Amino acid sequence: MTTLAKPAMRPARPEFSSGPCAKRPGWTPENLQNAVLGRSHRSKLGKTRLQEAIDRTRQVLEVPDDFLIGIVPGSDTGAVEMAMWSMLGPKPVQLLAFESFGKDWVTDVTKQLKLPAEVLDAPYGELPDLTKVRKDADLVFTWNGTTSGVRVPNADFIAADREGITICDATSAAFAQDLDWAKLDVVTFSWQKALGGEGAHGVLILSPRAVARLESYTPAWPMPKLFRMTKAGKLAKDIFEGATINTPSMLCVEDAIDALKWGAQIGGLAEMQRRADANLAALAAWVEKTDWVDFLAADPATRSNTSVCLKVVDARVAALADDVQADFAKKLASVLEKEGAALDIGGYRDAPAGLRIWCGATVETSDLEALTPWLDWAFATTLEQLQAA
């Protein structure tokens, strides 16, 4: 038997998935009773709700007044793809690749769009050399690596007088980290991350510079309907006024409005960021006193406060073959799930073996504090099973 006693108290909400993430505290399906159901999203009422989601996003995320906000298909991935397919081509391209989604954007740019691009990459847990970012090139990057637990500390590496545009995948950074709007031209995220919303819808935010690119450049490749943002060389502004390209789920829209209302009620962006920081701090305090685990992101300055990635550093496990270590991490997560102490916290499939615990604002710090004894218990239990095998 394990020498550690099973903890007496479980997290009140064991949902620590990195997407879709935990619903906001106090959420119930009854909160969605005003959803426009059985009606066209293009009806006056439907467009009003879509516009409200856009307006509340601007308010809570503190998006500049001259930036446009649109709701698009395909979650954050769809929003990033729309931007890349519509805007890349007239200038050199650089991509930052330090986690799996950044690597996906590299594949799309180099293999699908077939553009010559400079890839600045780094192993999981680290950032590329940001001093190599050029002001004369377009830049595609993730602000926060959802699968690596690493974030850029700021946007100082982007030139204020840049000639290219910046396309920023901010899906696990929005509402939790300071986005430097002056340095960003395209910002994307999905409701399913920091808002605890539902999947399938993305949010696409464009600066005036991004709009200028759309209206001055026509890509050489065929453009799928879902990616088209211009008509006769001009921006299709209705996309950013509640007229979505395809039919959205109005139930999901209502859920996003509910989450945005909650964000405003608790104190807006500052309080959402504070909650995420407090959640990271709770895990960091535990990691500091625990010898079997460490952060995948070694540098605290680049450590995510949302998608926290952990690795097992215990010598007895670290000495094992890679596939055995991966199996150990899966079993550790499985033990926690069977106990109802933590759900969906296995590391991302392409990332190094370990755990990934969502710490965004919709997660309560008290639940993370209740989780850490369970992590210790699950490690001891899984190690004992390994040694007995």
Side-chain angles (χ1 to χ4, degrees), residues 306-317:
T306 56
S307 53
V308 177
C309 295
L310 303 171
K311 58 183 178 180
V312 177
V313 296
D314 182 272
R316 293 163 292 185
V317 177

Side-chain angles (χ1 to χ4, degrees), residues 66-362:
D66 58 349
F67 281 53
L68 301 178
I69 303 173
I71 298 168
V72 301
S75 196
D76 174 69
T77 298
V80 175
E81 296 282 10
M82 286 178 69
M84 293 194 302
W85 281 66
S86 299
M87 301 183 198
L88 295 183
K91 289 187 176 293
V93 179
Q94 288 186 309
L95 300 106
L96 302 185
F98 54 94
E99 52 94 46
S100 63
F101 288 99
K103 297 177 189 295
D104 286 342
W105 310 145
V106 170
T107 298
D108 289 343
V109 171
T110 61
K111 303 298 184 182
Q112 306 302 321
L113 298 180
K114 301 186 186 304
L115 291 173
E118 180 183 9
V119 179
L120 305 177
D121 58 10
Y124 279 86
E126 300 176 24
L127 280 177
D129 183 355
L130 299 180
T131 65
K132 293 183 178 180
V133 172
R134 298 158 45 185
K135 74 173 186 178
D136 66 329
D138 291 336
L139 177 68
V140 181
F141 74 106
T142 52
W143 188 282
N144 181 90
T146 309
T147 64
S148 69
V150 175
R151 61 172 166 178
V152 297
N154 51 54
D156 292 352
F157 62 95
I158 300 172
D161 61 344
R162 65 191 181 282
E163 299 163 24
I165 61 167
T166 54
I167 298 175
C168 175
D169 173 356
T171 197
S172 56
F175 302 99
Q177 299 166 17
D178 282 322
L179 301 175
D180 188 345
W181 295 101
K183 300 290 187 70
L184 305 177
D185 297 305
V186 177
V187 175
T188 68
F189 70 89
S190 63
W191 295 330
Q192 60 158 312
K193 288 293 194 294
L195 291 175
E198 296 303 305
H201 300 75
V203 176
L204 177 67
I205 304 176
L206 305 181
S207 75
R209 297 179 81 253
V211 173
R213 169 65 64 86
L214 283 169
E215 294 185 337
S216 65
Y217 166 65
T218 302
W221 43 81
M223 188 67 67
K225 177 183 177 180
L226 286 179
F227 293 174
R228 295 176 203 154
M229 289 186 276
T230 59
K231 294 178 182 178
K234 292 295 182 181
L235 182 75
K237 290 187 178 180
D238 56 344
I239 296 173
F240 305 91
E241 297 170 350
T244 55
I245 292 177
N246 71 326
T247 305
S249 162
M250 296 306 293
L251 201 60
C252 292
V253 171
E254 201 64 34
D255 190 57
I257 292 173
D258 173 76
L260 289 162
K261 285 181 177 179
W262 170 79
Q265 288 167 357
I266 65 170
L269 184 61
E271 177 59 14
M272 294 184 76
Q273 291 176 338
R274 187 205 66 76
R275 286 173 63 92
D277 288 342
N279 289 342
L280 171 61
L283 281 185
W286 168 73
V287 169
E288 186 175 355
K289 65 180 183 182
T290 305
D291 58 7
W292 66 265
V293 71
D294 202 356
F295 289 99
L296 186 57
D299 183 359
T302 65
R303 194 172 290 160
S304 172
N305 65 348
T306 56
S307 53
V308 177
C309 295
L310 303 171
K311 58 183 178 180
V312 177
V313 296
D314 182 272
R316 293 163 292 185
V317 177
L320 302 171
D322 288 348
D323 61 333
V324 181
Q325 290 188 55
D327 186 60
F328 182 91
K330 289 179 181 177
K331 287 179 177 176
L332 199 162
S334 178
V335 166
L336 291 162
E337 183 145 349
K338 287 177 181 176
E339 289 289 340
L343 308 176
D344 309 317
I345 67 167
Y348 190 72
R349 62 180 180 270
D350 295 330
L355 303 175
R356 183 170 58 148
I357 302 170
W358 184 257
C359 288
T362 59

